[in-house]
Amino acid sequence: MTAQSTARPARSARSARRSGGRPRWLPGLLMVPPLLLLGALVLAVALFVYRAFAAGSTGEPGVVEALRSGALDSFYWEAMLRTALLSLGATVLSCLISLLVASALVVVDRRAVTAATMALLFSPLVVSMAVRGYGWLLILDQPPVARSFETAGDLLGFLGVSPALLATVLVLAHAMMPITAFPLLTRMREIHRLQVTRAARDLGARSASVFWKVTVPLAAPTALRVGGLAFGLAMGAFGIPAIIGRGRVQVVSELVYQNLLAVSWPTAFVRLAMLLLVTAVVVTPLFALAKRLGRRAAPRRERTA
């Protein structure tokens, strides 16, 4: 009995030291706010689905009738193609700029420069979307900038690209920068520690060749992951296309918003479900490819280290 009673306080003392003296219920208490927020989100989605399917039981057109009446008509698919191209362009541009900025910050390696750059990249999350949008409008309305976008729109007009669409891509890429820049900066620091880029330069490779043949392949898994996340968020963007596009860049989220204003729950549900399906079809292969490339790159990192 004495040995057992002595062992129990010892085990409790060891467990207390491992937990840092914190009560065991504290982590569970900290999980309450996120769980409540998640529950509210699930409840909102459930109510939306209920409204969409309950309309058919009350004699109003339901989900099936919305499909038959043209919820997914040619106009919707044109908006879907425009939304996908807009999101893809913004994602590629954001990842490319983030990769270049991260490479420069790693080379410069100055805390003050890195902190100032990160503050600028983080600013889209701090400043209101409306303020950013109308601030960008002031820049885009300047004659040299406006003429540049008009010239680019004329050159790409055969692809159905307009100056308003190009401007929306640029501003949406700026909004995605906090999502793409920070993970890529972390990855670039890991690549810099491996000294592979320095070894390539010592062997006579040029800076451009080192970037495209060494840096980009090693950073590709991270770029694909953050790119998939940015693409998914861009597909549901509403405010920036509405402000920058000025009604000339109509996306799927705007169509869904119009259906909700008209209290057409089934049509909004069908269009939103298709938007989520298209997003999943694009994003899922990106994550799968990133996982595969990450597995291929892991043994190389271990051998280099």
Side-chain angles (χ1 to χ4, degrees):
M1 287 294 294
T2 305
Q4 293 179 355
S5 60
T6 306
R8 288 177 181 174
R11 284 196 297 268
S12 61
R14 285 196 299 269
S15 62
R17 285 195 299 270
R18 290 173 185 173
S19 61
R22 294 175 297 179
R24 293 184 177 180
W25 50 265
L26 183 58
L29 182 62
L30 295 176
M31 287 296 296
V32 172
L35 290 177
L36 290 176
L37 183 61
L38 180 61
L41 177 62
V42 172
L43 180 60
V45 174
L47 288 175
F48 176 65
V49 175
Y50 171 77
R51 287 285 186 90
F53 283 91
S57 61
T58 59
E60 301 177 5
V63 174
V64 178
E65 287 76 9
L67 285 171
R68 292 176 179 175
S69 61
L72 303 180
D73 54 4
S74 59
F75 180 75
Y76 172 81
W77 287 115
E78 289 177 2
M80 176 66 76
L81 179 60
R82 190 181 304 110
T83 304
L85 292 177
L86 174 67
S87 303
L88 182 61
T91 300
V92 172
L93 182 60
S94 179
C95 288
L96 182 58
I97 295 176
S98 299
L99 192 60
L100 293 174
V101 171
S103 302
L105 290 178
V106 169
V107 173
V108 173
D109 194 19
R110 293 290 186 272
R111 290 186 178 181
V113 176
T114 302
T117 306
M118 290 295 100
L120 290 175
L121 294 177
F122 191 76
S123 61
L125 295 180
V126 180
V127 182
S128 170
M129 182 269 298
V131 174
R132 284 189 287 111
Y134 287 106
W136 269 105
L137 282 181
L138 294 176
I139 298 174
L140 296 172
D141 286 339
Q142 299 301 315
V145 180
R147 285 195 296 267
S148 300
F149 277 96
E150 289 177 0
T151 303
D154 294 337
L155 294 176
L156 300 176
F158 67 97
L159 296 176
V161 177
S162 63
L165 183 63
L166 291 176
T168 306
V169 168
L170 175 62
V171 179
L172 193 58
H174 175 250
M176 296 295 113
M177 289 294 290
I179 300 172
T180 58
F182 289 92
L184 284 174
L185 177 60
T186 303
R187 180 66 184 128
M188 291 301 299
R189 286 174 174 170
E190 294 176 356
I191 296 173
H192 183 70
R193 294 191 194 101
L194 296 177
Q195 299 293 329
V196 288
T197 55
R198 182 176 180 180
R201 292 191 185 93
D202 291 342
L203 292 174
R206 297 181 178 179
S207 299
S209 299
V210 172
F211 179 77
W212 290 110
K213 295 182 179 180
V214 179
T215 304
V216 171
L218 290 176
T222 303
L224 288 173
R225 291 188 182 97
V226 298
L229 179 59
F231 179 84
L233 293 176
M235 286 288 286
F238 173 76
I240 290 177
I243 296 175
I244 305 300
R246 304 179 187 183
R248 291 170 289 182
V249 181
Q250 197 166 38
V251 293
V252 174
S253 59
E254 186 176 351
L255 298 180
V256 174
Y257 177 70
Q258 293 173 359
N259 296 139
L260 293 176
L261 289 180
V263 200
S264 180
W265 299 99
T267 304
F269 172 79
V270 171
R271 291 180 169 179
L272 183 58
M274 187 55 61
L275 176 65
L276 295 176
L277 179 61
V278 172
T279 304
V281 168
V282 176
V283 171
T284 303
L286 292 179
F287 281 101
L289 181 60
K291 186 176 181 180
R292 185 174 181 179
L293 293 177
R295 288 177 178 176
R296 286 184 178 181
R300 298 177 187 175
R301 290 201 300 267
E302 292 174 0
R303 288 197 297 267
T304 307

